[in-house]
Structures are given as C-alpha cells and as structure tokens.
Amino acid sequence: MPLEWYLALSAILFCIGVFGVMSRRNAIGILMGIELMLNAANINLVAFGSFHKPAVLTGHIFAVFVMTIAAAEAAVGLAIIIAVYRSRLHINVDKIHEMKW
C-alpha cells in the first residue's frame, strides 16, 4: 500500500477524534476522542517508520512510547472521571465547575 493511504487513514481518524472532543459533553466521550487522536499519530509514526530507507525502528519505538503515554493518560483520566462520578453522580463536563480555574 502507498504511504498516502496510511496518511489519509490517520487524517480521517484524527478528524473523528477532534470532532469527538469538540462535540461531546460526556467526559468518557472526550477521553475516547483523545485516544483516537493519539492512535492517528501512532499510525503516522509506524507508516513513516516502515517507509523510511534504510529501515530503522525509530517510528515503531516512538509508537510504543506514545501507546505507553496513552495508557497512563487513560488510567489517570478514568480515575478522575470515577472520582467525579462518585461525588456528583454525573460526568457532564459543563456541570463540573470545581476543575475550572
């Protein structure tokens, strides 16, 4: 497959993630949108790493690093969402005023 197909898939996935973050009021929906954007970046990293000559694993290593950061971000984000849900019984980001400046 040509590199452009991977880039198009990544761009589509990133746009879906941005739309999810901008349109959702549910905190879990926003977290899922962020994860989609990180996965789009991973597709770009692996695609560029695979098409780079001579073959080096730099893109793949960066993708594993981004997946690790995404897992940590998801764990912390879900912990915050669970704590907010236990205290407020909802996770609508418009109604949560304690986390704003």
Side-chain angles (χ1 to χ4, degrees), residues 9 21 50 87 99:
L9 173 68
V21 168
S50 297
S87 65
M99 297 180 74

Side-chain angles (χ1 to χ4, degrees), residues 10-89:
S10 175
I12 292 169
L13 199 61
F14 191 84
C15 290
I16 292 171
V18 168
F19 178 75
V21 168
M22 300 298 276
S23 65
R24 297 283 181 154
R25 298 294 98 205
N26 187 331
I28 292 178
I30 292 172
L31 195 61
M32 289 173 52
I34 292 170
E35 293 295 324
L36 279 178
M37 289 189 285
L38 288 173
N39 285 328
N42 278 341
I43 290 172
N44 272 343
L45 289 171
V46 171
F48 281 119
S50 297
F51 281 88
H52 187 264
K53 303 290 185 221
V56 290
L57 295 176
T58 308
H60 298 84
I61 292 170
F62 274 117
V64 170
F65 182 73
V66 170
M67 283 191 288
T68 306
I69 298 296
E73 173 257 334
V76 171
L78 286 175
I80 291 171
I81 291 170
I82 289 171
V84 168
Y85 181 76
R86 284 183 179 167
S87 65
R88 300 287 175 201
L89 297 179

